[in-house]
Amino acid sequence: MDRFDAMQAFARVVETGSFTKAAETLHMSKTSVTQLVQQLEARLRVRLLNRTTRKVNVTADGAAYYERVLRILADVDDAETSLSSAAASPRGRLRVDVPSPLARMVLVPALPAFHAQYPDIQIDMGVSDRVVDIIDERVDCVVRGGELTDLSLVARHVGDLQLGVYAAPSYLAQAGTPLHPRELEDTQHRVVGFLWARSGKTFPYAMRRDGENLTVQGRYVFSVDDGNAYLAAGLAGVGVLWLPDYMAQAHRASGELLPLFAGWQLDPMPLYLAFAPNRHVSSKLRVFIDWVIALMAQHAPLAPRQKA
């Protein structure tokens, strides 16, 4: 038995919850993966996995062993990297998941420069606004807006999204221009609802001006859980939008969106890059994190109050 191969097979089974899926990702037969894990258990004299006809679950001993195996595999990867040209040029596959508008407007347009600097890094980018299970889906990191509720993750505050309220000229021509945020609660006005993945619900926005503080949710006839579709609905005149500056800038300049409620302010939305606490921060992940931070410094810099 090659212990290194056995450790890799065991770790992949834990992460995928399946011998079949583990075999597919390792480009091995299911029989080979099963035999490697069985040989590992025999050597350790400990049951690492509980197997049923439908699912594979890690035992308590297996979970503790998995944590150590991750560190060992990461150390081996780092050792190989340090003794190769990859020390100067990180390489390998990186799986990330980011919000759809951020991918389309910020990250993807900047990728040519990233790949020019790191040509050996392969990025598999999931583009979504859904909740991603970093461990089960074997994702290296996610970028998300709003406060993180999963306190088990390691989170890096990479930016602050400045928000504004906007509407298309076609909407304002039909519904009139609201002069006060409270008017969005009236029956003549409507907003585009954004369904947050963590709750599946819309939520009110806090706004303030000259000592006046209020929260506005508005009435919607259409809601969506994707940022690009949310923007498209606003451009089509479906309703009023709350948008980060980077999403609104080009459409505001072209006149496709008009700003509302001059003088009113909204708290910025924090942007986080998060990864699992037991996920080794490899050289390829480190340079990706640094790249995201540099991009956010241009498009969504940290608010001054956050720098203290």
Side-chain angles (χ1 to χ4, degrees):
M1 175 190 70
D2 185 306
R3 276 190 283 173
F4 184 77
D5 287 344
M7 288 179 182
Q8 280 190 313
F10 166 68
R12 199 58 55 85
V13 172
V14 172
E15 292 168 348
T16 62
S18 163
F19 282 90
T20 300
K21 291 179 181 178
E24 291 173 354
T25 61
L26 291 170
H27 304 291
M28 300 171 64
S29 69
K30 179 182 176 182
T31 300
S32 296
V33 172
T34 302
Q35 289 175 345
L36 283 170
V37 174
Q38 288 174 341
Q39 291 166 5
L40 187 61
E41 288 179 319
R43 177 183 177 83
L44 297 171
R45 299 180 182 178
V46 169
R47 178 173 289 278
L48 300 172
L49 300 168
N50 288 320
R51 304 151 174 88
T52 68
T53 56
R54 293 187 176 182
K55 193 171 183 181
V56 178
N57 294 310
V58 65
T59 65
D61 288 330
Y65 184 66
Y66 171 71
E67 299 295 333
R68 294 187 174 221
V69 164
L70 278 185
R71 291 195 291 270
I72 291 170
L73 295 177
D75 287 343
V76 171
D77 181 62
D78 268 0
E80 291 180 346
T81 298
S82 66
L83 295 175
S84 70
S85 60
S89 179
R91 65 184 181 187
R93 183 186 183 202
L94 195 63
R95 297 192 62 187
V96 304
D97 198 276
V98 303
S100 53
L102 191 71
R104 182 171 67 88
M105 298 180 179
V106 178
L107 300 183
V108 172
L111 277 177
F114 179 86
H115 285 305
Q117 187 172 2
Y118 305 109
D120 297 320
I121 295 180
Q122 174 191 345
I123 296 178
D124 292 354
M125 182 178 288
V127 178
S128 70
D129 291 294
R130 66 187 180 88
V131 174
V132 173
D133 190 318
I134 291 180
I135 298 296
D136 286 351
E137 300 182 47
R138 298 184 56 245
V139 174
D140 292 289
C141 71
V142 298
V143 179
R144 288 291 180 267
E147 295 295 343
L148 291 181
T149 57
D150 189 346
L151 300 181
S152 69
L153 298 178
V154 177
R156 181 80 178 268
H157 187 183
V158 297
D160 282 314
L161 302 174
Q162 301 298 327
L163 301 174
V165 189
Y166 300 90
S170 59
Y171 170 82
L172 298 176
Q174 177 268 325
T177 300
L179 301 179
H180 191 281
R182 285 291 185 205
E183 293 181 47
L184 296 182
E185 308 287 0
D186 296 341
T187 56
Q188 77 181 77
H189 283 290
R190 59 185 182 272
V191 303
V192 180
F194 186 84
L195 298 173
W196 288 88
R198 289 183 289 273
S199 64
K201 301 176 181 179
T202 63
F203 75 91
Y205 291 86
M207 303 182 67
R208 63 186 184 277
R209 183 187 65 177
D210 298 332
E212 183 180 2
N213 296 277
L214 52 84
T215 57
V216 179
Q217 187 157 14
R219 183 180 65 93
Y220 70 83
V221 294
F222 176 74
S223 63
V224 67
D225 63 357
D226 174 82
N228 284 331
Y230 177 77
L231 174 59
L235 291 170
V238 173
V240 174
L241 300 171
W242 281 264
L243 285 178
D245 285 353
Y246 82 89
M247 290 179 65
Q249 185 175 12
H251 302 289
R252 179 175 178 172
S254 67
E256 295 175 289
L257 289 176
L258 300 176
L260 302 177
F261 312 129
W264 285 87
Q265 294 181 319
L266 293 93
D267 290 336
M269 178 185 296
L271 193 68
Y272 291 97
L273 186 148
F275 51 90
N278 59 359
R279 181 73 72 201
H280 174 67
V281 182
S282 62
S283 58
K284 61 180 180 288
L285 180 54
R286 281 196 296 269
V287 299
F288 180 81
I289 293 173
D290 291 342
W291 177 66
V292 171
I293 290 173
L295 282 177
M296 292 305 102
Q298 301 174 38
H299 297 276
L302 289 170
R305 62 184 177 84
Q306 300 288 350
K307 294 180 179 179

